[in-house]
Amino acid sequence: MFLFDVIKKDIKKHKAAGLTDDEISELPALKINISDHDFMETIVNISAKNSLQREIVNRAKEIGLSGKQADSYVKNQLLLWEKEQRKKAEEEAKLLGTAMQQLLPEIFEDKRAIPNSFLRGALFGMVRKGRRSLVENKPIFTMSQYEVAFSGSEMDQNDLELWDTLIYLARTRNVESALRITLYDLCQQMRLTYNQERTKKIVERAIRLKFGTVIIKTGAKLFVGSLINNVYIDTDGDGKLVVEYNKKLTPLFAEDFTYISADIRHLLGDNQLARWLYNFYESHEKPIPFAIDFIKKLCRSENELKDFKYKLKISLEQVKKAHLSVNAKSKWDYEVTKNNYILIFPKGKNKKQLELFKEF
């Protein structure tokens, strides 16, 4: 409930008791328990309302309104805005009051659900060893249906694997808001050998997911926040890793996600480019030809085009073999054309597609 709503409710209560406005104004100040978060939200809402009011007043002048007509116009527009803000607050309260596992689509041990906005751009792109950049509000190159910006340490495919593993565990372990898990168990879930070096890297990745801030706009949806709310090791308790989920990102899954095979990803090993290519093309039911240079930018590769093309062919061949290893009947295939385009055939090459793509 907004701070203003609390105050209005209190005034309404006193008026119902028969007090006049003057008598109400003489009452002691209303004591309200409000968290720092709620206080900041209130300040933000006051600032937003004041800014909006100025815009509406200017708009009223532009359309030729003055006097009572202008006052009525401004009042009605502000009432509409307040109604919309209340609706958003109610939706957010409902979201935060729902168990995390209930907010997610079905997820399986081998089929991991990942929003397409994570798969179709450089948000989890290539990061050269020892060259992970710290960026602030950097626009992320992505497919045209998304607008993405990021602040924090650049993320890669390993960070994405940890995130989708945590999401899988939230769904399968009936998590309310936070997951408690041993680092050994988490390594097992990610099919990693348990040792000090591995657990150190997992904790580093979790910290990146917590401190990185993402802005994603897709259609009418806008998400701003970190990929997990908090992460810490309960040194005073059972020593488990505690991950607090960000429920506000779950709308990103709505009708715009892809099931990624954990088996295929595991077979691709440490080849970051192969993993990115598999994820990207898996998110397209009928992939169109893309220029190699476009894919290079989309996965945030810093290689020269010649070197990237060489690595691309190796990675695509690895993806093809991984598909066959998981499904012996797989016909997944690819072609890198002389005009530097990538053709992907999820169900195998056929004459119709070859004819359609011959100009590439």
Side-chain angles (χ1 to χ4, degrees):
M1 184 179 286
F2 291 126
L3 177 59
F4 299 118
D5 293 328
V6 177
I7 296 170
K8 285 178 183 177
K9 187 177 179 181
D10 187 68
I11 292 172
K12 189 176 179 180
K13 180 185 73 176
H14 290 308
K15 282 191 174 182
L19 274 69
T20 66
D21 289 340
D22 289 337
E23 288 172 330
I24 293 171
S25 66
E26 294 297 323
L27 291 171
L30 178 65
K31 292 183 179 180
I32 302 172
N33 292 322
I34 183 166
S35 68
D36 291 341
H37 177 269
D38 290 335
F39 178 73
M40 289 305 298
E41 291 251 324
T42 301
I43 297 301
V44 169
N45 281 321
I46 293 171
S47 176
K49 186 174 181 180
N50 289 340
S51 177
L52 179 66
Q53 186 166 353
R54 287 192 294 270
E55 284 182 27
I56 295 170
V57 169
N58 290 333
R59 201 182 308 150
K61 291 177 182 177
E62 288 172 4
I63 60 178
L65 298 178
S66 61
K68 289 185 178 180
Q69 281 186 322
D71 291 342
S72 178
Y73 176 79
V74 172
K75 182 180 178 181
N76 288 334
Q77 292 298 310
L78 286 174
L79 285 172
L80 287 172
W81 179 81
E82 287 179 352
K83 184 178 179 181
E84 185 181 339
Q85 294 305 302
R86 284 193 181 89
K87 184 180 177 183
K88 286 181 180 178
E90 288 168 3
E91 289 173 352
E92 183 175 313
K94 183 179 178 182
L95 180 75
L96 297 178
T98 305
M100 183 67 182
Q101 58 102 4
Q102 293 177 11
L103 297 170
L104 297 168
E106 278 197 283
I107 306 175
F108 311 95
E109 185 176 357
D110 176 46
K111 296 293 182 182
R112 305 297 175 82
I114 303 178
N116 287 333
S117 53
F118 289 12
L119 304 177
R120 295 177 176 171
L123 183 59
F124 293 95
M126 304 297 99
V127 176
R128 282 191 179 184
K129 190 174 181 179
R131 295 183 62 176
R132 192 181 299 275
S133 298
L134 186 64
V135 298
E136 183 176 355
N137 202 27
K138 181 181 178 181
I140 299 296
F141 194 71
T142 187
M143 298 291 283
S144 59
Q145 65 264 53
Y146 310 109
E147 291 178 34
V148 183
F150 178 72
S151 298
S153 293
E154 288 179 327
M155 299 186 293
D156 58 23
Q157 290 293 299
N158 290 324
D159 300 317
L160 178 59
E161 181 182 9
L162 173 60
W163 182 82
D164 83 59
T165 301
L166 294 173
I167 293 296
Y168 160 70
L169 291 170
R171 187 72 168 82
T172 56
R173 298 193 179 184
N174 301 325
V175 170
E176 180 73 30
S177 297
L179 171 74
R180 302 182 71 90
I181 188 169
T182 65
L183 288 169
Y184 175 80
D185 188 5
L186 190 52
C187 282
Q188 292 288 102
Q189 294 297 325
M190 297 177 71
R191 309 181 193 186
L192 298 173
T193 304
Y194 176 72
N195 58 46
Q196 190 173 359
E197 184 63 25
R198 295 278 179 154
T199 55
K200 179 185 174 184
K201 287 186 180 297
I202 286 175
V203 172
E204 287 173 355
R205 292 169 196 165
I207 291 171
R208 277 198 293 274
L209 293 175
K210 188 272 178 285
F211 284 105
T213 300
V214 183
I215 301 173
I216 299 176
K217 187 177 182 188
T218 167
K221 296 183 180 69
L222 175 67
F223 168 72
V224 182
S226 57
L227 299 183
I228 54 177
N229 270 350
N230 284 301
V231 59
Y232 61 93
I233 293 177
D234 187 4
T235 52
D236 294 330
D238 53 17
K240 290 182 178 180
L241 183 75
V242 182
V243 177
E244 295 177 4
Y245 291 92
N246 188 348
K247 295 179 181 180
K248 293 181 183 180
L249 65 73
T250 53
L252 293 176
F253 283 97
E255 299 177 7
D256 191 33
F257 68 90
T258 296
Y259 283 116
I260 295 299
S261 168
D263 289 341
I264 289 178
R265 179 174 59 195
H266 180 66
L267 290 170
L268 296 175
D270 293 327
N271 188 332
Q272 292 279 309
L273 179 57
R275 289 164 68 179
W276 186 93
L277 289 165
Y278 165 65
N279 288 343
F280 174 74
Y281 281 109
E282 199 69 8
S283 74
H284 294 80
E285 187 177 349
K286 295 179 180 179
I288 62 173
F290 289 108
I292 291 177
D293 188 51
F294 177 76
I295 292 296
K296 177 180 174 298
K297 292 177 184 175
L298 206 58
C299 72
R300 199 175 57 216
S301 172
E302 296 179 356
N303 290 122
E304 294 296 326
L305 188 59
K306 184 180 178 181
D307 292 335
F308 180 74
K309 186 176 180 180
Y310 172 74
K311 292 180 179 179
L312 176 74
K313 290 179 178 179
I314 292 173
S315 298
L316 287 170
E317 186 62 27
Q318 194 173 347
V319 173
K320 180 179 177 178
K321 289 178 179 177
H323 272 283
L324 277 169
S325 295
V326 172
N327 177 13
K329 295 181 180 180
S330 171
K331 294 181 180 180
W332 193 95
D333 210 346
Y334 69 93
E335 187 177 323
V336 179
T337 72
K338 61 181 180 180
N339 295 325
N340 286 333
Y341 276 85
I342 306 166
L343 310 181
I344 299 295
F345 308 94
K347 297 180 181 179
K349 296 178 181 179
N350 60 62
K351 289 183 180 180
K352 185 178 179 181
Q353 281 181 309
L354 292 172
E355 181 65 25
L356 186 65
F357 295 155
K358 67 179 182 180
E359 62 185 276
F360 296 99

